[in-house]
Amino acid sequence: MASPDAVCFTFVADDTSEIPTTQELRNALQKGSDEVKIDTLRRIILATVNGNPQHAMLMPVIQYCMPSKSKTLKKLLHFYWEVCPKYDDNGKLKQEMILVVNAIRNDLQHPNEYIRGATLRALQKLKEAELLEPLIPTCRACLEHRHSYVRKNAVFAIYSIYKDFENLIPDAPELIHTFLAAESDMTCKRNAFVFLVNCAMPKAVEYLLSVYDQISSFDELMQMTIIELIRKDCKNDSPHRPKYVRCIFELLNSSSHSVKYEAATTLTALTSNPAAVKSAASSFIELVVKESDNNVKLIVLDRLETLRSKHEHVLDPLVMDLLRVLAAPDMEVRRKCLNIALQLVTSRNVEEVVGTLKKQLQKTLEADFEKNPEYRQLLIQSIHICAIKFSEVAANVVHALMEFLGDSNNPSAVDVIAFVREVVEKFPNLRQSITAKLMQTLGDIKSGKVFRGALWIIGEYCSEPQDINEAVQAVRKVLGEIPILASEQRLLDAAGGDEEKDKELAAAGSSGAPRVLPDGTYATESAFTGAAAAAARLEAVKAASKPPLRALILGGDFYTGAVLGSTLTKLVLRYSQLSKDAKKVNSLRAEAMLIMTSIVRVGQSKFAAVPIDEDSQERIMNCVRTLAELQTEPIVNDIFLKDTKAAYTKMVATEEKKAAEKKEKETKAVAIQVDDLLTFRQFSKRAATDGIEDYELDVTKATGAGEVTESIISDLSRVVQLTGFSDPVYAEALVKLHGFDILLDVLIVNQTADTLQNLCIEFATLGDLKLVERPSTHTLGPHAFHSIKATIKVSSTETGVIFGNIIWEKGTSEICVVLSDIHIDIMDYIKPAHCNEAQFRSMWTEFEWENRVNVNTTITDLRIYLAHIMKSTNMACLTPEAALSGDCDFLSANMYARSLFGEDALANLSIEKMEDTGTIQGHVRIRSKTQGIALSLGDKITLAQKEVAAAA
């Protein structure tokens, strides 16, 4: 990675048209107008930047462009002085540069302040001491110019000269300190202060202490520089730390959001005092509330989360202030805000937090905006977490949330029923009131999944005879009249009249005898008309308004019907144990059996949207059989009444254990070994600068200056041979991935005894790859070698191919050598990722591109094959370890990965081990939003299978 102090050149878009000859450029500069000269100079700068310096054009540019008064041309000249070749072949400064220095000096003394200021800015990019030395007196004189634009650029010009060549202007710190004391313009002051902060820290501290009382009145840029000085000075254990802390406290009240953010960040680095941490957190929260940019909100919330993790429970009193952020419309901001808020909830503030969340939940019913259902679901999940963690609020919120069971947004209602189920299990004292409320809300439920959850709760937790009777009545109410088939047939008969008469009329019509209507005319009727009328009557009966549970069953949701059968079986079995009245038990048993047989019969009739599936029918009939043999199968009774509830209890306990282990892992202190060195805080110079060093680390990461370079072994593994050893020109490329770019470092070796003129490499790409710049032409001496660099931009995760050739001139003809193809591996852009089951299912349904790869491998262990696929595709397994454990001959697992471009890749592995041969059979299904990633991953799996087969 380049040094941060390296010169940053201006990139100019490449012009694909032919480059004019030197004579054409000279004529254009000599005879053209200012507009022509501007265009020509642009072409010269472009060619120079792209590696083709125009050595012969320096004098014509000096001769014909410098005398012009055009400001645009002068600006382009500044660019040209920056990039033009200034030294001859012997490494000495060209004689022509004397004229350039003289022209720059004249511009620095120009009466127009814009030309002076622009020249001073250009001076900052010149890094040649011989050019700068004659200009020092003129730069010093510009510090006293009447216009602030000239003075502020003069300060930075002196700063850049002093930083690179301190000997040219050794008294610069005293000069700038004197200038700063006398200056009145705030921008000039800020530039001078930046100089002192970076080059003369004691003088900067001295000035800061002299204006300590005026800091709050300075402008934003000056305040930001003061914060930077405080941060740097405190790294050296400054004696002024208490004053700095008070100064930062004042800057927290600044009207500028940038100053407030930097001040809060610096304050937490200077001190760990709880009052200071709370003040910084309050400033962060205020920033999030007032700032309009969502990206800024997310960054500040990340900083707040880091602060919370370092200072446990210090920020707890600020949770209500944080919840003001929920007024933001962006869902990502709300989600991050609630994640932090839930970590700050304690027994002291949980009532207020839940109250605020309930108000927000109520607002989602009143207001209507795009992400309303998603926000409602998020609020329900947050209330769920609070209620489970703090039992004192569970009773207050559970009844309020049960109002949302009838929500048309299915995920919200599913979250509510999951919450109710967990509360009922964990808090036995709430069971009776919750089941009673649940029975009242059954009529409002619209979703089959919610119905199944509600029926399971009623079947498990209704434990009193009266509650069981009420539960059966509630079920009857949402199911409607039974038997279902008979009542539906009655409705059809009522809609279509007397069916027997219809049959007689149909028989009469089929006999061929004409029918005479009452008015004496003949009636005509076809079989098609009668069938259509019957079908229309049937559809009308189906479309008629029905109770919710009945509508679901007739709509084909027989899984819910099977759950209803299981619930009724549990209720009857429990009632038979609690009640001694055999007559009531038999009555309840008969009613339950009637409901279940009614579901099976209507599932086999024309009234159901789809016929009942075999599994649901078998499960319902097992329930009927259990009730028919009520007293003869005690083992079955235990399965219904004890085992299902025990399974859920075990599941809840396992989830709690996982959460506790995760929390313990996150908060676990690092163990100290017995032979570790003892650290005395009093003897450590930088004990209090951890936060400041964290800031420097953040800057290093952002600029990429701290990136670890790869080892030589890693580099060698990425070398691709492009030509053969017997070709006149040997070429090989080192392929490096850098973010979204591919960097090609091509080594070219001339293996002949001839000089190769105008040698050029031409690259072309296949796929979502784009060549950023065309490599320039070179002349290669006998047996010489040269390195050429090219950059390829990658825009998506798709297997790409780079191909091309090398061309050079020999006499009057061109010779071409075709290069081998470079295949780009998409695995470098795919990283393992994780998502929950609901997100995986949603994406699986949404993504339209699927690639199915059949398993063909010599591996005989299912788990080893799964690990092999995960390693070769960089995908993470989402299926829990508990589901994969055990000895079994089949395996199914979901895998997930995400590319650097934000593309999602899903995979499902379904394999089984054949008993007779011991081989593995099955397939891998890959789904993605784009075709490229699905095909590329499929090819990768196929290749990985072949490699294993070849190794075997």
Side-chain angles (χ1 to χ4, degrees):
M1 192 70 191
S3 165
D5 296 329
V7 181
C8 179
F9 291 101
T10 306
F11 279 103
V12 186
D14 195 1
D15 187 1
T16 55
S17 60
E18 287 293 326
I19 300 174
T21 62
T22 303
Q23 188 59 43
E24 288 173 345
L25 292 172
R26 182 191 293 271
N27 291 339
L29 291 177
Q30 182 178 356
K31 300 177 182 178
S33 62
D34 280 351
E35 286 74 16
V36 174
K37 289 179 181 179
I38 288 169
D39 184 60
T40 306
L41 191 54
R42 277 194 180 128
R43 286 171 175 265
I44 295 171
I45 294 171
L46 176 63
T48 306
V49 169
N50 286 341
N52 187 16
Q54 304 283 335
H55 294 278
M57 294 309 300
L58 179 58
M59 198 60 209
V61 169
I62 294 172
Q63 190 175 356
Y64 303 118
C65 292
M66 283 203 319
S68 173
K69 295 182 179 180
S70 168
K71 291 186 176 63
T72 307
L73 196 55
K74 280 192 179 294
K75 187 69 176 174
L76 281 174
L77 277 171
H78 294 158
F79 284 132
Y80 182 67
W81 303 143
E82 180 186 345
V83 300
C84 73
K86 304 175 185 67
Y87 295 96
D88 58 19
D89 295 336
N90 298 321
K92 293 182 179 180
L93 198 69
K94 291 183 177 181
Q95 295 295 323
E96 295 93 331
M97 297 311 292
I98 297 172
L99 300 173
V100 174
V101 171
N102 189 48
I104 293 175
R105 187 191 293 111
N106 291 338
D107 284 343
L108 289 176
Q109 296 171 340
H110 200 283
N112 186 310
E113 60 270 8
Y114 168 76
I115 292 176
R116 275 203 191 197
T119 308
L120 285 164
R121 288 186 67 180
L123 215 58
Q124 298 170 32
K125 293 189 177 183
L126 294 181
K127 303 299 176 185
E128 290 77 23
E130 295 171 72
L131 287 179
L132 295 170
E133 189 173 5
L135 303 173
I136 300 296
T138 321
C139 288
R140 295 174 73 117
C142 286
L143 288 174
E144 300 172 4
H145 193 270
R146 60 182 175 78
H147 202 285
S148 61
Y149 179 70
V150 176
R151 296 199 303 273
K152 73 178 184 180
N153 283 305
V155 172
F156 271 171
I158 291 174
Y159 172 34
S160 64
I161 294 170
Y162 181 79
K163 187 171 62 172
D164 294 325
F165 311 103
E166 189 175 336
N167 60 304
L168 293 182
I169 183 166
D171 63 334
E174 293 77 12
L175 177 68
I176 297 298
H177 189 254
T178 307
F179 170 82
L180 181 58
E183 182 57 54
S184 59
D185 182 78
M186 194 55 72
T187 308
C188 296
K189 275 188 171 186
R190 178 256 179 185
N191 288 7
F193 193 62
V194 167
F195 175 95
L196 294 179
V197 168
N198 290 283
C199 300
M201 180 76 76
K203 291 187 180 297
V205 173
E206 180 187 339
Y207 175 76
L208 176 62
L209 296 177
S210 68
V211 296
Y212 187 82
D213 298 331
Q214 306 169 31
I215 290 175
S216 57
S217 63
F218 288 163
D219 73 345
E220 177 184 348
L221 291 174
M222 188 68 175
Q223 289 177 344
M224 292 284 282
T225 312
I226 288 170
I227 292 172
E228 185 183 353
L229 167 66
I230 291 172
R231 192 183 288 122
K232 287 188 174 183
D233 196 30
C234 284
K235 288 179 69 176
N236 303 318
D237 202 14
S238 171
H240 306 296
R241 183 183 287 267
K243 282 191 174 183
Y244 289 159
V245 171
R246 288 199 299 274
C247 173
I248 295 293
F249 261 110
E250 285 185 21
L251 291 177
L252 287 177
N253 300 319
S254 171
S255 58
S256 165
H257 289 183
S258 302
V259 173
K260 186 174 288 190
Y261 175 78
E262 290 296 337
T265 305
T266 306
L267 183 61
T268 56
L270 291 179
T271 177
S272 297
N273 183 285
V277 172
K278 284 178 70 174
S279 297
S282 298
S283 298
F284 283 142
I285 292 170
E286 190 178 348
L287 274 176
V288 179
V289 172
K290 291 185 177 180
E291 181 59 48
S292 57
D293 190 331
N294 287 330
N295 293 319
V296 175
K297 287 177 185 280
L298 293 172
I299 291 169
V300 178
L301 284 171
D302 281 336
R303 182 67 69 176
L304 194 62
E305 169 61 20
T306 305
L307 198 61
R308 182 208 63 78
S309 63
K310 288 183 178 179
H311 304 277
E312 290 282 346
H313 304 301
V314 174
L315 307 186
D316 291 352
L318 300 176
V319 64
M320 294 307 296
D321 293 334
L322 180 61
L323 289 178
R324 290 188 297 153
V325 178
L326 293 177
D330 185 70
M331 274 304 301
E332 197 60 37
V333 173
R334 287 170 165 173
R335 184 175 286 107
K336 198 174 282 289
C337 167
L338 283 173
N339 286 341
I340 299 171
L342 290 175
Q343 303 296 324
L344 303 178
V345 176
T346 63
S347 54
R348 293 181 180 180
N349 57 32
V350 65
E351 295 281 355
E352 291 180 285
V353 171
V354 170
T356 303
L357 295 180
K358 284 166 70 175
K359 286 179 183 176
Q360 290 289 325
L361 195 57
Q362 196 60 38
K363 284 181 182 177
T364 63
L365 295 177
E366 298 165 1
D368 187 23
F369 57 93
E370 185 183 357
K371 297 288 183 76
N372 212 351
E374 189 180 345
Y375 182 41
R376 189 181 310 151
Q377 186 180 0
L378 184 62
L379 289 170
I380 289 169
Q381 290 170 352
S382 303
I383 295 173
H384 179 176
I385 293 169
C386 289
I388 296 302
K389 195 184 291 186
F390 302 98
S391 57
E392 60 266 28
V393 297
N396 296 336
V397 300
V398 68
H399 292 289
L401 284 185
M402 286 171 72
E403 299 293 336
F404 292 89
L405 284 174
D407 194 351
S408 56
N409 178 36
N410 190 32
S412 297
V414 170
D415 282 339
V416 172
I417 202 66
F419 165 62
V420 172
R421 185 172 58 193
E422 195 169 348
V423 169
V424 166
E425 171 59 32
K426 288 191 172 181
F427 307 112
N429 56 321
L430 299 177
R431 287 176 183 174
Q432 191 166 5
S433 62
I434 289 176
T435 51
K437 176 70 175 176
L438 200 56
M439 291 176 207
Q440 294 173 14
T441 55
L442 279 179
D444 300 326
I445 298 174
K446 300 179 180 66
S447 163
K449 196 168 185 179
V450 179
F451 248 122
R452 292 194 289 274
L455 289 171
W456 187 88
I457 294 170
I458 290 171
E460 291 293 347
Y461 298 102
C462 285
S463 53
E464 297 298 325
Q466 185 181 352
D467 294 340
I468 293 173
N469 281 320
E470 289 175 359
V472 174
Q473 292 303 315
V475 169
R476 282 292 303 270
K477 190 174 179 181
V478 293
L479 193 58
E481 186 182 352
I482 56 172
I484 301 175
L485 181 59
S487 60
E488 292 295 312
Q489 185 63 52
R490 194 158 48 251
L491 285 173
L492 181 63
D493 294 344
D498 192 346
E499 192 173 349
E500 292 299 325
K501 288 185 179 178
D502 283 353
K503 288 181 180 178
E504 290 176 8
L505 289 174
S510 62
S511 64
R515 288 183 57 208
V516 181
L517 297 176
D519 59 356
T521 59
Y522 289 104
T524 57
E525 184 180 15
S526 67
F528 176 77
T529 307
R537 288 197 298 272
L538 180 61
E539 288 301 320
V541 169
K542 286 183 180 180
S545 177
K546 294 179 175 62
L549 187 54
R550 188 191 194 97
L552 284 171
I553 291 170
L554 291 173
D557 190 357
F558 291 104
Y559 180 34
T560 302
V563 174
L564 173 60
S566 178
T567 300
L568 291 172
T569 305
K570 292 174 188 175
L571 293 175
V572 173
L573 291 174
R574 191 172 291 114
Y575 190 82
S576 66
Q577 292 179 354
L578 297 172
S579 176
K580 301 298 182 184
D581 191 340
K583 186 176 180 181
K584 287 185 178 179
V585 172
N586 284 335
S587 173
L588 193 65
R589 180 167 62 158
E591 187 173 0
M593 293 172 72
L594 176 62
I595 292 172
M596 286 187 272
T597 52
S598 175
I599 293 170
V600 174
R601 287 200 64 202
V602 80
Q604 297 168 340
S605 71
K606 60 184 177 182
F607 293 101
V610 291
I612 186 170
D613 57 285
E614 189 177 342
D615 289 344
S616 298
Q617 182 174 340
E618 184 178 351
R619 191 174 176 196
I620 294 172
M621 293 311 297
N622 283 338
C623 292
V624 172
R625 193 175 298 112
T626 301
L627 292 183
E629 302 166 356
L630 193 59
Q631 304 299 333
T632 58
E633 296 288 346
I635 298 176
V636 177
N637 294 1
D638 289 345
I639 292 172
F640 275 103
L641 296 180
K642 296 178 182 177
D643 291 0
T644 53
K645 186 177 177 181
Y648 179 67
T649 305
K650 185 179 178 182
M651 187 184 87
V652 171
T654 304
E655 291 296 328
E656 287 180 346
K657 185 180 177 183
K658 280 184 184 176
E661 287 175 356
K662 185 179 178 184
K663 187 174 181 181
E664 184 183 355
K665 191 176 180 181
E666 289 174 352
T667 58
K668 188 177 181 181
V670 178
I672 299 174
Q673 301 300 323
V674 291
D675 57 346
D676 282 352
L677 293 174
L678 294 175
T679 302
F680 294 92
R681 183 173 56 84
Q682 289 81 355
F683 298 155
S684 176
K685 287 184 178 180
R686 298 198 173 190
T689 61
D690 292 343
I692 297 170
E693 289 172 357
D694 286 347
Y695 174 83
E696 300 294 340
L697 187 61
D698 287 346
V699 174
T700 304
K701 285 180 179 177
T703 57
E707 289 183 1
V708 179
T709 55
E710 295 180 338
S711 65
I712 186 72
I713 301 299
S714 177
D715 283 349
L716 289 174
S717 67
R718 293 179 176 274
V719 172
V720 179
Q721 184 177 339
L722 300 180
T723 64
F725 293 113
S726 59
D727 286 319
V729 175
Y730 174 76
E732 64 181 25
L734 172 62
V735 183
K736 278 190 176 182
L737 301 174
H738 185 74
F740 301 132
D741 295 339
I742 298 172
L743 305 178
L744 297 180
D745 189 351
V746 185
L747 174 67
I748 299 175
V749 181
N750 180 4
Q751 301 195 105
T752 67
D754 302 324
T755 299
L756 307 182
Q757 294 185 341
N758 294 331
L759 184 141
C760 177
I761 296 184
E762 293 185 348
F763 285 116
T765 58
L766 191 65
D768 285 338
L769 305 175
K770 182 181 178 183
L771 186 66
V772 176
E773 53 186 338
R774 187 175 59 190
S776 56
T777 57
H778 301 275
T779 298
L780 214 58
H783 304 289
F785 58 87
H786 188 72
S787 180
I788 297 176
K789 292 180 173 59
T791 305
I792 310 288
K793 183 71 72 177
V794 185
S795 56
S796 75
T797 312
E798 187 174 339
T799 300
V801 180
I802 304 172
F803 54 94
N805 49 47
I806 301 177
I807 299 175
W808 68 91
E809 294 178 1
K810 186 176 182 181
T812 56
S813 61
E814 283 189 347
I815 300 177
C816 174
V817 174
V818 179
L819 303 178
S820 300
D821 295 345
I822 302 174
H823 292 268
I824 303 304
D825 189 359
I826 68 161
M827 291 301 106
D828 294 315
Y829 294 96
I830 289 182
K831 304 297 177 190
H834 293 275
C835 65
N836 58 41
E837 184 184 353
Q839 290 170 331
F840 184 90
R841 289 179 179 275
S842 174
M843 287 188 286
W844 187 267
T845 307
E846 178 188 349
F847 292 169
E848 56 185 5
W849 289 103
E850 178 174 318
N851 187 11
R852 177 175 169 142
V853 180
N854 290 324
V855 173
N856 181 16
T857 181
T858 55
I859 298 173
T860 56
D861 188 281
L862 301 178
R863 294 294 298 275
I864 292 175
Y865 183 77
L866 171 62
H868 174 66
I869 293 296
M870 288 167 59
K871 183 180 178 182
S872 59
T873 59
N874 279 0
M875 300 187 91
C877 182
L878 302 181
T879 306
E881 182 63 29
L884 297 173
S885 61
D887 188 15
C888 189
D889 284 345
F890 65 88
L891 183 146
S892 179
N894 292 333
M895 295 176 287
Y896 177 57
R898 179 174 290 151
S899 74
L900 294 179
F901 308 96
E903 300 165 316
D904 298 299
L906 313 176
N908 172 259
L909 173 68
S910 298
I911 52 177
E912 65 173 329
K913 189 173 182 179
M914 307 306 293
E915 291 184 7
D916 50 351
T917 60
T919 58
I920 294 177
Q921 289 188 0
H923 56 265
V924 184
R925 295 169 65 194
I926 304 159
R927 285 199 181 184
S928 65
K929 190 171 283 187
T930 57
Q931 182 184 19
I933 192 169
L935 294 175
S936 300
L937 279 174
D939 293 342
K940 195 70 183 174
I941 292 173
T942 305
L943 191 62
Q945 293 186 143
K946 288 181 179 177
E947 287 174 356
V948 171

